[in-house]
PDB file of all heavy atoms in Angstrom:
ATOM      1  N   VAL A 133      -0.266  63.510 -39.630  1.00 90.00           N
ATOM      2  CA  VAL A 133       0.296  64.550 -40.493  1.00 90.00           C
ATOM      3  C   VAL A 133       1.077  65.564 -39.662  1.00 90.00           C
ATOM      4  O   VAL A 133       2.183  65.984 -40.030  1.00 90.00           O
ATOM      5  CB  VAL A 133      -0.823  65.251 -41.289  1.00 90.00           C
ATOM      6  CG1 VAL A 133      -0.293  66.502 -41.980  1.00 90.00           C
ATOM      7  CG2 VAL A 133      -1.404  64.302 -42.335  1.00 90.00           C
ATOM      8  N   LEU A 134       0.525  65.969 -38.513  1.00 90.00           N
ATOM      9  CA  LEU A 134       1.219  66.930 -37.654  1.00 90.00           C
ATOM     10  C   LEU A 134       2.510  66.355 -37.087  1.00 90.00           C
ATOM     11  O   LEU A 134       3.454  67.097 -36.789  1.00 90.00           O
ATOM     12  CB  LEU A 134       0.296  67.371 -36.508  1.00 90.00           C
ATOM     13  CG  LEU A 134      -0.882  68.268 -36.895  1.00 90.00           C
ATOM     14  CD1 LEU A 134      -1.757  68.553 -35.680  1.00 90.00           C
ATOM     15  CD2 LEU A 134      -0.391  69.579 -37.511  1.00 90.00           C
ATOM     16  N   LEU A 135       2.567  65.030 -36.928  1.00 89.00           N
ATOM     17  CA  LEU A 135       3.778  64.378 -36.427  1.00 89.00           C
ATOM     18  C   LEU A 135       4.706  63.937 -37.558  1.00 89.00           C
ATOM     19  O   LEU A 135       5.669  63.215 -37.329  1.00 89.00           O
ATOM     20  CB  LEU A 135       3.399  63.167 -35.571  1.00 89.00           C
ATOM     21  CG  LEU A 135       2.695  63.480 -34.240  1.00 89.00           C
ATOM     22  CD1 LEU A 135       2.285  62.188 -33.548  1.00 89.00           C
ATOM     23  CD2 LEU A 135       3.602  64.303 -33.332  1.00 89.00           C
ATOM     24  N   ALA A 136       4.383  64.392 -38.776  1.00 87.00           N
ATOM     25  CA  ALA A 136       5.223  64.099 -39.957  1.00 87.00           C
ATOM     26  C   ALA A 136       5.348  62.598 -40.197  1.00 87.00           C
ATOM     27  O   ALA A 136       6.427  62.083 -40.513  1.00 87.00           O
ATOM     28  CB  ALA A 136       6.606  64.734 -39.806  1.00 87.00           C
ATOM     29  N   GLU A 137       4.227  61.879 -40.048  1.00 85.00           N
ATOM     30  CA  GLU A 137       4.192  60.446 -40.311  1.00 85.00           C
ATOM     31  C   GLU A 137       3.191  60.150 -41.419  1.00 85.00           C
ATOM     32  O   GLU A 137       2.254  60.914 -41.648  1.00 85.00           O
ATOM     33  CB  GLU A 137       3.778  59.676 -39.046  1.00 85.00           C
ATOM     34  CG  GLU A 137       4.730  59.823 -37.877  1.00 85.00           C
ATOM     35  CD  GLU A 137       4.252  59.079 -36.651  1.00 85.00           C
ATOM     36  OE1 GLU A 137       3.128  58.535 -36.699  1.00 85.00           O
ATOM     37  OE2 GLU A 137       4.986  59.040 -35.652  1.00 85.00           O
ATOM     38  N   ILE A 138       3.397  59.021 -42.087  1.00 81.00           N
ATOM     39  CA  ILE A 138       2.390  58.563 -43.039  1.00 81.00           C
ATOM     40  C   ILE A 138       1.143  58.210 -42.250  1.00 81.00           C
ATOM     41  O   ILE A 138       1.215  57.451 -41.282  1.00 81.00           O
ATOM     42  CB  ILE A 138       2.886  57.333 -43.816  1.00 81.00           C
ATOM     43  CG1 ILE A 138       4.124  57.679 -44.632  1.00 81.00           C
ATOM     44  CG2 ILE A 138       1.778  56.797 -44.734  1.00 81.00           C
ATOM     45  CD1 ILE A 138       4.764  56.480 -45.307  1.00 81.00           C
ATOM     46  N   PRO A 139      -0.020  58.765 -42.614  1.00 82.00           N
ATOM     47  CA  PRO A 139      -1.245  58.488 -41.838  1.00 82.00           C
ATOM     48  C   PRO A 139      -1.477  57.002 -41.659  1.00 82.00           C
ATOM     49  O   PRO A 139      -1.324  56.213 -42.592  1.00 82.00           O
ATOM     50  CB  PRO A 139      -2.344  59.141 -42.681  1.00 82.00           C
ATOM     51  CG  PRO A 139      -1.648  60.268 -43.370  1.00 82.00           C
ATOM     52  CD  PRO A 139      -0.272  59.732 -43.694  1.00 82.00           C
ATOM     53  N   GLN A 140      -1.835  56.637 -40.449  1.00 75.00           N
ATOM     54  CA  GLN A 140      -2.036  55.228 -40.112  1.00 75.00           C
ATOM     55  C   GLN A 140      -3.074  54.565 -41.002  1.00 75.00           C
ATOM     56  O   GLN A 140      -2.980  53.376 -41.308  1.00 75.00           O
ATOM     57  CB  GLN A 140      -2.450  55.127 -38.640  1.00 75.00           C
ATOM     58  CG  GLN A 140      -2.389  53.728 -38.072  1.00 75.00           C
ATOM     59  CD  GLN A 140      -2.698  53.712 -36.585  1.00 75.00           C
ATOM     60  OE1 GLN A 140      -3.786  54.094 -36.166  1.00 75.00           O
ATOM     61  NE2 GLN A 140      -1.749  53.296 -35.785  1.00 75.00           N
ATOM     62  N   VAL A 141      -4.065  55.347 -41.415  1.00 77.00           N
ATOM     63  CA  VAL A 141      -5.134  54.785 -42.239  1.00 77.00           C
ATOM     64  C   VAL A 141      -4.600  54.271 -43.570  1.00 77.00           C
ATOM     65  O   VAL A 141      -5.196  53.395 -44.197  1.00 77.00           O
ATOM     66  CB  VAL A 141      -6.235  55.840 -42.478  1.00 77.00           C
ATOM     67  CG1 VAL A 141      -5.709  56.998 -43.314  1.00 77.00           C
ATOM     68  CG2 VAL A 141      -7.455  55.223 -43.147  1.00 77.00           C
ATOM     69  N   LEU A 142      -3.456  54.790 -44.016  1.00 76.00           N
ATOM     70  CA  LEU A 142      -2.883  54.377 -45.296  1.00 76.00           C
ATOM     71  C   LEU A 142      -1.920  53.204 -45.166  1.00 76.00           C
ATOM     72  O   LEU A 142      -1.490  52.655 -46.169  1.00 76.00           O
ATOM     73  CB  LEU A 142      -2.143  55.556 -45.942  1.00 76.00           C
ATOM     74  CG  LEU A 142      -2.980  56.814 -46.199  1.00 76.00           C
ATOM     75  CD1 LEU A 142      -2.118  57.894 -46.843  1.00 76.00           C
ATOM     76  CD2 LEU A 142      -4.180  56.480 -47.091  1.00 76.00           C
ATOM     77  N   ARG A 143      -1.599  52.839 -43.931  1.00 71.00           N
ATOM     78  CA  ARG A 143      -0.602  51.783 -43.757  1.00 71.00           C
ATOM     79  C   ARG A 143      -0.962  50.765 -42.686  1.00 71.00           C
ATOM     80  O   ARG A 143      -0.281  49.772 -42.510  1.00 71.00           O
ATOM     81  CB  ARG A 143       0.756  52.406 -43.383  1.00 71.00           C
ATOM     82  CG  ARG A 143       0.707  53.266 -42.122  1.00 71.00           C
ATOM     83  CD  ARG A 143       2.044  53.940 -41.846  1.00 71.00           C
ATOM     84  NE  ARG A 143       1.942  54.958 -40.816  1.00 71.00           N
ATOM     85  CZ  ARG A 143       1.967  54.735 -39.517  1.00 71.00           C
ATOM     86  NH1 ARG A 143       2.096  53.487 -39.086  1.00 71.00           N
ATOM     87  NH2 ARG A 143       1.871  55.708 -38.646  1.00 71.00           N
TER      88      ARG A 143
END
Side-chain angles (χ1 to χ4, degrees):
V133 169
L134 289 176
L135 292 176
E137 298 178 355
I138 298 174
Q140 193 175 61
V141 66
L142 302 180
R143 57 184 169 83

